[in-house]
Structures are given as C-alpha cells and as structure tokens.
Amino acid sequence: MSRYVEIYAEWQADPVRFWEEAARGIDWFSPATAVFNAEAGVYGRWFDGATCNTCYNCVDRHVEAGHGDRLAVIHDSPATGQVARYTFAELQEQVGALAAVLRAQGVTKGDRVVIYMPMVPQAVFAMLACARLGAVHSVVFGGFAPQELATRIDDAAPKVVISASCGIEPGRVIAYKPLLDEAIALATNKPQACVILQRDTLRCDLTQGRDVDYAEAVRAAIVAGERTECVAVAATDPLYILYTSGTTGQPKGVVRDNGGHMVALKWTMEHHYGVNPGEVFWAASDVGWVVGHSYICYGPLLHGAATVVYEGKPVGTPDAGAFWRVIQDHGVVALFTAPTAFRAIKKEDPAGSLIAEYDLSQFRTLFLAGERSDPATIEWAQDKLARPVIDHWWQTETGWPMSGNPVGLGAFPVKLGSPGRPMPGYDIRVLDDAGHEVAPGTLGNIVCKLPLPPSGFPTLWNAAERFISSYMAEFPGYYATSDAGIIDEDGYVFIMARTDDIINVAGHRLSTGAMEEVIASHADIAECAVVGKADTLKGQMPLGFFVTNDGADRDPGELERELVQLVRARIGAVAAFKCALEVKRLPKTRSGKVLRGTVQKIADGETYKMPAAIDDPAILDEITAALAARNLIGQGT
Ligand code: COA
Ligand code: AMP
C-alpha cells in the first residue's frame, strides 16, 4: 500500500509543520526564526533566520557520526579506463584542501566561482568546496561553447574559475583550456585566478600569474595541514546559480538557497527515491545540469549515500551494456537517467540481451526524467529489467520533482505517459489562458500555487524583474511552469509540451530563440526560425529555416554548413543543430508573428488547423515542399 495520499494530505493540512518535521534531517548551526516567512522575498522564504552549511551536511557530519570509512564518491570513467573511490573521510580531506586553495585566492562568503569541468570527481569537490566557504558556485556544462561560458562569467562575475585541461567525448578529446581562455578573453568581468586540473589524457599550458595547478595546490594544502571550517551562512543565502535556457539568448540564472534545498533533497532521497544511507545512488547525467547538482552531488551526500560520477555514455563506451556494468560493479540500488539514454540502449540492444550478462541483484528502481518518457520506452525498460520504472517531472527552477511516484512511501500504480502525481509541497493546477482552472483531462497551462516549497528558486541572479515577468506575472498567485499538459481524474499529471520556445534535445533544455539569434547574425540571413522536430532517439532535434538577404546569391548547401558551424561555435555541440533549410518566405500571422507551431506540426507530419490569422496560407505549402525535398517530414533518425 502506498502512503502517498496520507502524506500528501498531511502536507496540505499543515505545510509549515510538514517542512519543519523534514528539517530535522538536517544539522543546523542555529534554528530558523520562522520555518516559513511569508513576508520575505517575492513569495516568502523558507527557514528564515536559520544558519547552516551545505558542505557540513554533505560531508563533515557523516565523518563526525563515525561514517568516515563509508563510500561517498565513486568515479567510473570508461573514457579513461579508470575507477576511483573516495570515502567520506577522504572527501572531507579533498574538499577541505580545495577550499583552502580557493580561500588563498581570496574567495570568501558570497563570492562567485564558475566551475567548467568534465565528469571528474573534482567537479563535485569543487561544488562542495564553494559551499564550505559560503561561496556561490555556477557550474557551466562542458558542451557549451566559449561564448556561452563568457555570458555566464559576465553575469556571475566570479572571482575564480575552476576548470580542467580536457574533457573526453567518444572518439575525441576536447581541450578545455583554449575554450576557457577564449571565454575569458570575450568576457568583460575577468576572474582573478583559474584553478586547472591537469588530466593525463591531455595536459595544457598554464597561464603565468593567473592559473593554479589544481592537484599541486591541493597536495600542498594537505601537506601543510590546512583546514577550512564550514562557514555559517543564512539558510536563505545562495548556494549556487545555475543558468538555464530562457526565451532569449541571455540565459536565466536560477538561484538556489542553502537551507530549503537541503531539506527538500534529503526528504526526496528517502521518500521519493527510497534510498538508505550507505547505499549507492547513481544519476547518469552531468554536473552541468540540475539533475547533476541535485542527484550527483548534493542529494545522495546529504543523505549519507554514495554517488557515482560516470564519465561515459549509455552506448558506445563500449556498448549498450555500460549501464548494467556500472550498476553491477558499484552495487547501485537506484539509477536516474533521461529516457533518451534508454532509447539509445534499446536501439542497440533491442532484446536487452546484455542485461543478463551482469549481476543486477542490488538494483531496485529506475527513475526517468528530463523529458517526456514515451510509453514504449517505459514498457521496454519494465519488461527487460523487471523492476519499477518511475517517470518524474521537474525543472531547474525547482531542483527536485514536482510530480513523481514516491517509492520510499510505497509506489502507487504507474500510468504510462504520466510522470506521476504532485509531490508534497506542490499544489499543481491546470489553467486556461485566461487563468481559469480547467476540468480534469483538459489540456492547459500547468502552474503551481505559490509559495513554492523549499528549494524552489527565490529569484533570478541579477534579474529580479525577469523573475516576475517570466514566472509570476502571467497567472498571479501561481508559478507558471511553461509546460502544458493535463491532470486526469485520478490526479495524475501528463506533461505534453512547452508553452514557450524551449525544446528538449536528449534531455537537454535548449532555447530555439538563442539559436535564431545566432543564425540571424550571419551576414547573408534576412530572417529565420528554429523549431523542435520530433526525433525517435533524442525526443526533439532543432530544425532551422532561413531566408537570405536580397541579392545574397548563396549556394543553400554551403550556407547551411556555415550556419550549422556557427551555432556549434557560438552555443556548442550540445545544441545538436545539424539542419537548416532555405525557404523563400516564413509563414506569419498578419501581425508578423512567425507560425513556428504550425511549421513544427508540418515537420512532424501531424495534421494542423490553418491558423486563422495567417497572412498567406500558400507559404505553408512552400515549407512542406522544402521539407519533402529533404525527406524531413515525420519522425526522424
Ligand atoms: N562536453 C563537450 N561536448 C559534449 C558534452 C560535454 N560534456 N556532452 C555532449 N557533448 C557533445 C557530444 O559529443 C555531441 O557532439 P557531436 O555533435 O560532435 O556528436 C553533442 O554534444 C550532442 O551530444 P548529445 O546530445 O549527448 O548526443 P550524443 O549523440 O553524443 O549522445 C545519447 C546521445 C542519447 C547517448 C546522449 O544524449 C545521452 O547519454 N543522453 C543522456 C541524457 C542526459 O544525460 N541528460 C541530462 C539531463 S537528465
Ligand atoms: P530542465 O530545467 O533542464 O530540468 O528542464 C525542464 C523541462 O524538461 C520541463 O519544463 C519539461 O518541459 C521537461 N521535463 C522534465 N522532466 C519531464 C518529464 N518527466 N516528462 C515530461 N517533460 C519533462
């Protein structure tokens, strides 16, 4: 029997008491003066007046409780063929020493530190070292190009950047140092210092007077016996800034606080993921995404569980059995990944025959999130793994699942295509465009009644106005998720689409608006549109359309290659922008708005209603012809 209904009702009856109770899972330096202060912040603040330290709760308290010998971080890297394991005591030594290195560079409470690293354990150490000092980290995903890194450096204005000499992608080594140097050259706010991890795969030259060798400096701090205590911060002080795609090229700096974040994540480890301290949890994502922040770094460690930092892919490192090997080798009890990873595995090993080659006896549950889980993928995973497969839905803005299926409370029956029911803390509603609640089963805007629960973002970094206009203004009293969907008569949530121009490519959140800005900057382009076309492997893929300037007279193929290269150079390989079609005109409304939704439907081979406000319907035929000429109508790959 699931206790979900009882626990959700308990939260509804008294949210403050519910979170006060959950907060007992955290060690505070001093308690909150108000568990929830409705007068503070835009919609109230959690654990106002409390002081705490997130690193202390992730590391030191486990050592002090006598669990120093327990495994904390496991680095498994098919990319380099190496496996490394760190206990909580070793983690404390590494993090304490790195914090001393940062402190020596002048980093103190409230200073920002940008982390641009591949999937190495030092990325987690770096996050924790910042938390130890009360500094605010901002991790930038390694697949972003220098321009994107520069934008984030300029906005966060970090004192120090922590990076590495290289990252490793299948078949190629990515030299990070030139990317970092280019980003710093582009940025107006120059960091004072860079701490660089030299990797044997590809070492780099350090810049005299600016760069510090990570390993040398940490070793020296350990030898010198330097200790850094955990600095007391307010529960409401920022722990990190994580930039996420918005509707323009300027990413949104989602701010996460210390206290509420810890309380919510600790609660989820036990109740949603059903994991016990001392067990091994694995989120196969990247530290550059929110999943990596919450469930590679903070969640498992707060809970005293071990986390796996995996530097590999679901397929090709070396084959579609990679996930089963990691689960076996490290005794993983719960795996969290994106559905696209399972689609990739299923494509290469449709019979799931590699699963039988590994001992998965400790493995209990598969969790999927980051994009819509198609029923076929869930059914395949259920069938081949013979274990619960749990879809759950969340966003960078919340930091933990808004809807899910709490395994720790006893899972309720799964409905295929639904990421479960609202988690305690979230009062989820579906509204029509006028802000009225719709009947169960009716498609509409998914919103969450304010206040957001602990861990919900209190603001956007340097963009308090944008926080209101993007999230709070459209439906007063509610947080607008920008997802569209339904809630059925049993309370199950179904996420169907984004209501903005965000697309989801292999579980990565990308802005088509940002891609359009890059394409429009090409000298031969008059106007353009990018839509997300359905893709059987990655969920969606960006698809560009462009109109050239009069007299440009360019070969369309050559121009397409230039645009593909431009997006890769400016945004990064992660944008997966591979296709741009020349058209004579773009379909627009009479007021000049490009009809991206209709274009997307044509590309997906779906039926569409002729938009009432369309200026010239003939343009849709031209778009259809352009797509048909490239055999691009219907689901790809
Ligand atoms: N640093 C540099 N480049 C990176 C990178 C990183 N950290 N991560 C990805 N890239 C590059 C890839 O090499 C690829 O480059 P290419 O165009 O030269 O091939 C490009 O960015 C697109 O990457 P990706 O979308 O990951 O596609 P892929 O073809 O390499 O792999 C999957 C496909 C399905 C195996 C892969 O997307 C995957 O494992 N997805 C899991 C999803 C996930 O973790 N989502 C995070 C949110 S939960
Ligand atoms: P991100 O902020 O990168 O985590 O992306 C959040 C977005 O990913 C959400 O707004 C959804 O559009 C999508 N998303 C995340 N999880 C799910 C899910 N389980 N089902 C459907 N869409 C999801």
Side-chain angles (χ1 to χ4, degrees):
M1 270 298 282
S2 172
R3 290 177 58 222
Y4 164 77
V5 172
E6 173 201 332
I7 299 297
Y8 191 81
E10 216 173 78
W11 164 73
Q12 269 180 317
D14 193 343
V16 169
R17 204 164 140 213
F18 183 91
W19 292 116
E20 188 174 20
E21 198 57 44
R24 293 189 209 288
I26 297 304
D27 285 356
W28 304 89
F29 292 166
S30 66
T33 45
V35 171
F36 182 67
N37 178 357
E39 304 306 315
V42 171
Y43 60 81
R45 298 299 305 260
W46 290 98
F47 308 106
D48 203 18
T51 59
C52 56
N53 184 283
T54 297
C55 180
Y56 177 79
N57 277 276
C58 288
V59 184
D60 301 63
R61 70 163 170 166
H62 303 309
V63 179
E64 288 170 17
H67 303 311
D69 291 341
R70 269 194 195 161
L71 263 189
V73 176
I74 300 161
H75 182 228
D76 187 304
S77 170
T80 61
Q82 289 167 351
V83 173
R85 294 181 175 82
Y86 301 84
T87 63
F88 277 101
E90 288 164 340
L91 181 62
Q92 187 183 35
E93 180 178 62
Q94 289 294 322
V95 171
L98 181 59
V101 172
L102 294 176
R103 196 181 50 192
Q105 296 300 324
V107 175
T108 57
K109 183 165 144 180
D111 288 337
R112 272 81 57 214
V113 173
V114 161
I115 300 171
Y116 184 62
M117 291 190 109
M119 285 294 286
V120 289
Q122 289 80 3
V124 170
F125 304 163
M127 295 162 80
L128 293 167
C130 292
R132 194 173 191 84
L133 296 173
V136 181
H137 63 68
S138 186
V139 183
V140 179
F141 177 60
F144 279 122
Q147 178 64 60
E148 292 287 321
L149 177 57
T151 304
R152 288 155 175 80
I153 288 176
D154 269 340
D155 196 59
K159 225 175 218 176
V160 171
V161 176
I162 307 178
S163 189
S165 55
C166 70
I168 305 159
E169 280 292 290
R172 68 196 165 108
V173 174
I174 298 164
Y176 271 41
K177 183 62 179 1
L179 304 178
L180 174 65
D181 287 344
E182 191 183 334
I184 292 175
L186 288 167
T188 315
N189 281 322
K190 313 279 184 202
Q192 291 170 19
C194 297
V195 180
I196 309 285
L197 178 76
Q198 293 279 18
R199 305 189 75 193
D200 291 339
T201 309
L202 180 73
R203 298 177 72 83
C204 63
D205 291 332
L206 298 184
T207 306
Q208 275 283 315
R210 188 197 72 187
D211 293 349
V212 175
D213 183 300
Y214 182 115
E216 272 178 20
V218 164
R219 207 175 308 119
I222 291 174
V223 170
E226 285 184 44
R227 294 268 176 277
T228 29
E229 295 311 315
C230 295
V231 172
V233 297
T236 48
D237 278 344
L239 169 69
Y240 69 75
I241 306 163
L242 178 55
Y243 289 92
T244 189
S245 298
T247 48
T248 67
Q250 178 69 27
K252 300 195 255 199
V254 167
V255 174
R256 186 83 58 224
D257 69 10
N258 277 274
H261 178 242
M262 285 196 280
V263 172
L265 291 195
K266 177 83 172 79
W267 187 89
T268 60
M269 288 307 297
E270 180 181 351
H271 299 102
H272 190 268
Y273 297 104
V275 169
N276 300 310
E279 293 186 324
V280 181
F281 183 81
W282 177 25
S285 177
D286 189 286
V287 283
W289 308 114
V290 69
V291 173
H293 282 59
S294 294
Y295 295 112
I296 294 175
C297 182
Y298 291 112
L301 297 176
L302 282 167
H303 197 47
T307 182
V308 179
V309 177
Y310 175 65
E311 192 177 23
K313 300 267 173 178
V315 294
T317 57
D319 57 28
F323 275 18
W324 324 131
R325 200 250 327 140
V326 173
I327 290 173
Q328 167 191 275
D329 288 358
H330 307 300
V332 170
V333 300
L335 165 65
F336 176 171
T337 191
T340 193
F342 263 73
R343 289 196 294 268
I345 293 169
K346 181 173 147 221
K347 192 169 164 214
E348 286 208 2
D349 181 20
S353 50
L354 290 170
I355 297 172
E357 294 182 13
Y358 298 92
D359 173 6
L360 305 189
S361 54
Q362 301 207 51
F363 180 51
R364 296 196 294 265
T365 326
L366 170 66
F367 294 93
L368 298 175
E371 55 172 328
R372 188 174 148 75
S373 280
D374 52 297
T377 301
I378 298 229
E379 279 178 317
W380 184 87
Q382 284 172 332
D383 179 43
K384 303 299 176 211
L385 291 170
R387 282 166 179 80
V389 178
I390 305 295
D391 183 10
H392 58 320
W393 164 66
W394 49 302
Q395 303 181 308
T396 304
E397 287 82 349
T398 64
W400 64 284
M402 290 183 279
S403 77
N405 196 337
V407 169
L409 296 174
F412 48 70
V414 165
K415 282 198 191 187
L416 291 179
S418 162
R421 292 196 262 178
M423 286 297 99
Y426 295 98
D427 180 352
I428 310 268
R429 313 274 179 97
V430 182
L431 307 182
D432 63 19
D433 289 346
H436 302 121
E437 222 168 314
V438 300
T442 310
L443 186 71
N445 301 288
I446 305 197
V447 299
C448 178
K449 196 164 188 308
L450 292 171
L452 287 174
S455 169
F457 67 146
T459 189
L460 291 175
W461 189 257
N462 286 337
E465 278 305 313
R466 193 178 182 193
F467 175 72
I468 309 277
S469 61
S470 300
Y471 298 107
M472 308 287 164
E474 194 177 358
F475 304 108
Y478 296 93
Y479 159 67
T481 66
S482 294
D483 278 321
I486 62 174
I487 298 181
D488 74 5
E489 58 291 346
D490 299 320
Y492 284 70
V493 176
F494 290 78
I495 307 295
M496 309 309 288
R498 290 281 302 195
T499 56
D500 54 13
D501 69 356
I502 299 292
I503 58 171
N504 200 313
V505 180
H508 305 136
R509 174 169 160 178
L510 299 169
S511 162
T512 53
M515 294 185 214
E516 289 177 3
E517 281 179 28
V518 172
I519 296 169
S521 73
H522 190 289
D524 292 327
I525 300 301
E527 56 178 350
C528 65
V530 175
V531 300
K533 175 173 158 46
D535 183 90
T536 45
L537 177 66
K538 295 195 176 185
Q540 284 184 306
M541 282 288 273
L543 172 61
F545 297 85
F546 62 87
V547 178
T548 55
N549 287 323
D550 286 349
D553 194 24
R554 296 288 316 270
D555 171 59
E558 193 182 73
L559 195 45
E560 179 180 18
R561 282 190 291 281
E562 285 174 20
L563 296 174
V564 166
Q565 190 44 42
L566 198 61
V567 174
R568 195 177 171 93
R570 293 263 187 88
I571 297 178
V574 66
F577 184 79
K578 314 250 180 211
C579 194
L581 307 185
E582 181 173 7
V583 287
K584 290 263 164 298
R585 307 175 289 175
L586 290 172
K588 292 183 186 163
T589 61
R590 279 187 285 277
S591 60
K593 219 168 155 254
V594 177
L595 291 160
R596 292 180 181 79
T598 312
V599 172
Q600 180 174 334
K601 283 204 164 71
I602 295 174
D604 289 346
E606 287 178 19
T607 50
Y608 63 90
K609 265 213 296 237
M610 183 62 68
I614 191 165
D615 188 29
D616 183 354
I619 303 176
L620 295 181
D621 296 333
E622 296 168 16
I623 295 282
T624 308
L627 285 163
R630 293 276 295 267
N631 201 18
L632 281 171
I633 296 182
Q635 296 224 341
T637 52

